[in-house]
């Protein structure tokens, strides 16, 4: 059986998480190439939180537009989790098109709370009004 480049790509891309090693046959040689995933490339279940190393980011909450009168701000934690959770360092770009605009016409601020390991003190990252277009940095690298 002769495998084309696309078939090999599909074999690799569709490998199950349980597969610790991938074997790709080399046509005409009788041999094969063995590929082992690196620890940081192993399968991660998107439905299960993963905090990586003991110093990785764990998002506690994020609010956009807390400063606007008559508003408590929009809870935008899920978007920050999607981008930064489990990393050691993250630059998150605030984009009102992505997270929504809870109060049009008001320049909104942005506040994030996170920890780097269980029992660690809370850390904060924020951007003043208008926060959309600005970035906040969440950093859990060893200092």
């Amino acid at each position: 059986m002769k495998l084309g480049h696309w078939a090999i790509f599909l074999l690799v891309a569709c490998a199950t998480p349980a597969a610790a090693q991938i074997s790709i046959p080399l046509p005409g040689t009788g041999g094969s190439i063995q590929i082992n995933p690196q620890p940081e490339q192993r399968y991660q279940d998107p439905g299960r939180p993963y905090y990586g190393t003991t110093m990785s980011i764990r998002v506690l909450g994020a609010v956009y537009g807390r400063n606007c009168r008559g508003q408590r701000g929009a809870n935008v934690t899920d978007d920050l989790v999607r981008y930064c959770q489990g990393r050691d360092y993250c630059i998150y770009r605030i984009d009102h098109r992505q997270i929504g605009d809870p109060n049009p016409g008001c320049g909104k601020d942005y506040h994030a709370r996170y920890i780097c390991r269980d029992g660690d003190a809370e850390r904060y990252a924020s951007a003043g009004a208008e926060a959309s277009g600005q970035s906040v940095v969440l950093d859990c690298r060893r200092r």
Side-chain angles (χ1 to χ4, degrees):
M1 178 176 159
K2 191 171 185 180
L3 294 176
H5 294 294
W6 286 110
I8 292 172
F9 174 76
L10 289 174
L11 284 172
V12 174
C14 297
T16 63
Q21 186 175 42
I22 299 168
S23 179
I24 301 173
L26 295 172
T29 66
S32 63
I33 298 174
Q34 307 298 319
I35 301 173
N36 293 312
Q38 298 299 313
E40 66 276 0
Q41 295 173 324
R42 293 192 192 278
Y43 176 79
Q44 177 180 336
D45 181 357
R48 203 177 96 219
Y50 173 71
Y51 302 126
T53 66
T54 57
M55 293 300 290
S56 62
I57 295 165
R58 183 171 171 213
V59 175
L60 300 176
V63 179
Y64 179 57
R66 187 172 70 181
N67 63 312
C68 293
R69 221 174 256 203
Q71 295 288 320
R72 292 187 0 215
N75 181 341
V76 292
T77 304
D78 289 345
D79 199 57
L80 185 62
V81 166
R82 200 171 13 264
Y83 284 94
C84 296
Q85 189 95 325
R87 295 180 176 191
D88 293 330
Y89 179 81
C90 180
I91 299 173
Y92 175 79
R93 184 163 170 81
I94 304 156
D95 185 348
H96 72 278
R97 295 168 299 192
Q98 177 75 24
I99 59 179
D101 190 343
N103 192 352
C106 175
K108 285 155 281 304
D109 58 6
Y110 186 93
H111 296 275
R113 298 179 309 114
Y114 67 103
I115 59 173
C116 292
R117 62 176 171 234
D118 288 337
D120 199 12
E122 280 188 24
R123 297 182 185 201
Y124 306 94
S126 62
E130 170 54 45
S132 186
Q134 297 183 48
S135 297
V136 290
V137 175
L138 283 64
D139 190 356
C140 286
R141 296 174 298 180
R142 295 190 188 275
R143 296 172 191 210

